[in-house]
Amino acid sequence: MDKFIINGGKKLSGSIEISGAKNAILPIMAATLLAKGKSILTNVPNLNDIKMMSHLLRIIGARVDYFEGTLEIDTTNCSYYEAPYEIVSKMRASVNVLGPLIARFGKAKVSLPGGCAIGTRPVDLHQKALEKLGVNINIKHGYILANCSKLKGNIINFEKSSVGATENALCAAVLAKDETNIRNAAMEPEVSGLIDFLLEMGADIQGKGTTHLKIKGVKTLQPVEMEMIPDRIEAGTFLIAGAITKSKISIEKCEPGYLQTLMGKLEETGAKFEIEDNKIKIFPAQNIIPANIETQPFPGFPTDLQAQFLALMTLADGKSFIKETIFPDRFMHVPELNRLHADIRLEKGIAEVHGVPELSGAEVMATDLRASAALVLAGLAANGQTTISRIYHIDRGYDRIEKKLQMLGAEIKRIES
Ligand code: UD1
């Protein structure tokens, strides 16, 4: 297992480019199953989660080739409709093949995802939405067993906003008979990224970017070529890197529109921004003002940036409250940050963060993807050396994070095991 060694306390400078959004690409990769033929995705980062989804699509029978940011997926000969436990247990987003498999084969066998470091993550909303479209679902021996003679449009009213369930419902509805109305649909940019891809394939979807999606089923879809949207979570992580190290840095090839809530919060902490097309420059506060956050579905503050923002608040000049409403147990980074001399007290889904004048380097352990990013950020700001083990978590979702940080002047190196 690789480790990062960071010599913290250094200022960063310069500019880096943001990669394509993993959380948009994974459902789009699954959606290529909806057409027979070769789809081409560009601006695809070299991430372990993308490799895992490629592996799953190959099991299903697709030909998948990746070369320098371009992913080619040929689904012509797909014939298998199972997502096995060994894959789904490692990457929950594998559940995204459920809707496409049902639409393509009329059946699917997808393992239940099981435990997750950020807390309980049920799939009941996926199940209920697909049942509304005429799918019979049984849960047996740890698997979702689904079959359907003909998908039929209906009204799906989500009791709770869910990115993955909205994506699965969309992928089934685009090939269903008649019209489907999805209410309380997730509005995350990654859902809109999937909708753009489905529209390009020939789907009929109205309401992109809203909570009400109206889908008229079509008979067939075509494979397409499309550039993937930029990763707002990677972009946000780098903006916080500027804020926590009190450094002026720029991020390029990003979408500022996806980052309004984060930038608003960073402004509350005293940071300022210069925005030009797809570039954002941060002018950080020299004295970090505390700011409270509460995670919410888009356009609220993203849960995937909660750990990184919490890391910033450990160095604020006063007390802040971080409330996690999406995954209330998503605080595995707290004890690790406290090892770096942060002062964070946890109570029922709320972290009370007492800012300290400085963090001090220590050995810490990454527990999940975004928690690892928070530890990297804290390590960059801490005095002395921080060693982060189990960084395979970060390789799931950040493309060469240490290389990009080195380009900004950070002293971070990977120790390969
Ligand atoms: C996606 C993202 C993840 C992000 C999350 C919330 C991908 C691959 N992952 O995950 O990085 O943290 O959105 O923005 O895109 N829920 C249920 N039943 C379900 C499904 C979800 O109760 O069937 C609950 C979850 O426990 C959670 C909330 O709904 O409390 C939102 O989860 P959801 O939006 O579904 O997250 P994912 O799609 O799994």
Side-chain angles (χ1 to χ4, degrees):
M1 283 189 260
D2 293 1
K3 290 179 180 179
F4 279 151
I5 294 189
I6 302 173
N7 282 315
K10 308 278 178 307
K11 287 264 189 223
L12 309 181
S13 62
S15 170
I16 49 107
E17 287 186 354
I18 297 306
S19 302
K22 161 184 101 73
N23 284 355
I25 298 166
L26 295 174
I28 287 174
M29 289 175 74
T32 62
L33 292 168
L34 295 169
K36 281 189 183 171
K38 193 201 279 180
S39 287
I40 301 175
L41 317 184
T42 58
N43 194 29
V44 176
N46 190 9
L47 300 175
N48 284 350
D49 273 11
I50 307 272
K51 288 179 197 156
M52 189 68 80
M53 184 61 95
S54 302
H55 182 43
L56 175 55
L57 292 178
R58 286 189 190 108
I59 289 176
I60 292 167
R63 201 193 143 135
V64 186
D65 294 303
Y66 180 77
F67 185 68
E68 290 185 357
T70 299
L71 191 61
E72 294 189 357
I73 306 171
D74 189 340
T75 60
T76 310
N77 296 317
C78 288
S79 56
Y80 195 65
Y81 51 87
E82 180 173 336
Y85 175 67
E86 77 199 59
I87 297 198
V88 188
S89 59
K90 291 197 189 100
M91 186 183 69
R92 191 182 191 282
S94 316
V95 172
N96 268 107
V97 297
L98 182 60
L101 285 177
I102 295 167
R104 170 114 181 217
F105 299 112
K107 53 191 171 183
K109 181 177 176 190
V110 175
S111 170
L112 287 169
C116 176
I118 66 176
T120 317
R121 295 178 77 177
V123 287
D124 57 315
L125 298 174
H126 300 243
Q127 181 178 341
K128 284 182 204 158
L130 293 167
E131 281 171 345
K132 282 271 180 196
L133 300 179
V135 182
N136 296 309
I137 296 189
N138 283 303
I139 309 285
K140 258 195 194 147
H141 308 302
Y143 275 81
I144 304 167
L145 306 174
N147 70 75
C148 173
S149 51
K150 184 94 192 113
L151 285 164
K152 172 117 176 56
N154 202 343
I155 295 169
I156 298 170
N157 206 341
F158 282 116
E159 64 210 63
K160 190 172 184 181
S161 175
S162 163
V163 173
T166 301
E167 291 166 345
N168 259 329
L170 265 168
C171 285
V174 286
L175 287 175
K177 192 171 179 299
D178 303 335
E179 187 174 290
T180 299
N181 281 274
I182 305 181
R183 295 182 192 273
N184 196 21
M187 296 194 289
E188 269 66 4
E190 294 74 25
V191 176
S192 298
L194 172 65
I195 292 176
D196 282 335
F197 189 77
L198 294 170
L199 288 170
E200 195 70 17
M201 290 177 97
D204 183 346
I205 305 167
Q206 287 170 36
K208 187 182 87 170
T210 74
T211 54
H212 182 181
L213 302 172
K214 195 182 269 195
I215 304 123
K216 287 198 183 112
V218 295
K219 287 216 160 58
T220 55
L221 295 169
Q222 303 304 316
V224 290
E225 175 167 351
M226 189 174 262
E227 183 178 340
M228 300 293 100
I229 60 168
D231 192 324
R232 64 192 168 106
I233 307 302
E234 187 198 23
T237 302
F238 276 96
L239 289 180
I240 299 173
I244 200 168
T245 59
K246 302 183 178 172
S247 309
K248 278 182 218 160
I249 58 167
S250 299
I251 56 170
E252 295 180 21
K253 286 180 74 178
C254 64
E255 177 46 66
Y258 300 162
L259 291 157
Q260 294 302 325
T261 307
L262 172 69
M263 287 196 286
K265 275 293 160 190
L266 287 174
E267 275 169 355
E268 271 184 44
T269 72
K272 294 197 164 41
F273 297 94
E274 203 174 82
I275 300 167
E276 198 187 305
D277 301 328
N278 295 108
K279 187 172 166 181
I280 305 175
K281 185 169 188 178
I282 176 165
F283 297 87
Q286 293 313 311
N287 190 21
I288 302 167
I289 303 163
N292 303 328
I293 59 163
E294 179 174 322
T295 60
Q296 288 292 343
F298 189 83
F301 194 95
T303 173
D304 285 354
L305 285 171
Q306 176 260 106
Q308 300 88 316
F309 194 86
L310 195 158
L312 174 66
M313 286 302 97
T314 63
L315 287 169
D317 190 8
K319 187 164 78 175
S320 57
F321 292 93
I322 309 289
K323 185 172 180 191
E324 177 56 66
T325 70
I326 313 278
F327 301 111
D329 297 327
R330 190 177 202 174
F331 282 115
M332 302 280 277
H333 39 289
V334 165
E336 301 301 313
L337 288 169
N338 281 344
R339 282 185 56 73
L340 298 173
H341 263 216
D343 181 358
I344 311 162
R345 302 155 203 190
L346 257 188
E347 209 172 322
K348 288 189 200 137
I350 300 179
E352 187 179 313
V353 190
H354 296 253
V356 292
E358 60 177 47
L359 296 173
S360 73
E363 286 178 52
V364 289
M365 194 196 288
T367 50
D368 67 71
L369 171 56
R370 307 304 171 186
S372 350
L375 296 179
V376 169
L377 296 175
L380 291 173
N383 285 324
Q385 186 170 295
T386 296
T387 305
I388 308 176
S389 56
R390 302 199 173 190
I391 55 164
Y392 59 88
H393 288 293
I394 212 161
D395 294 331
R396 285 187 42 214
Y398 289 86
D399 189 9
R400 300 164 297 124
I401 191 168
E402 77 277 23
K403 294 270 177 339
K404 290 189 183 183
L405 286 168
Q406 285 160 4
M407 283 168 68
L408 296 173
E411 281 188 32
I412 174 169
K413 66 179 176 199
R414 180 184 290 259
I415 307 294
E416 288 181 19
S417 61

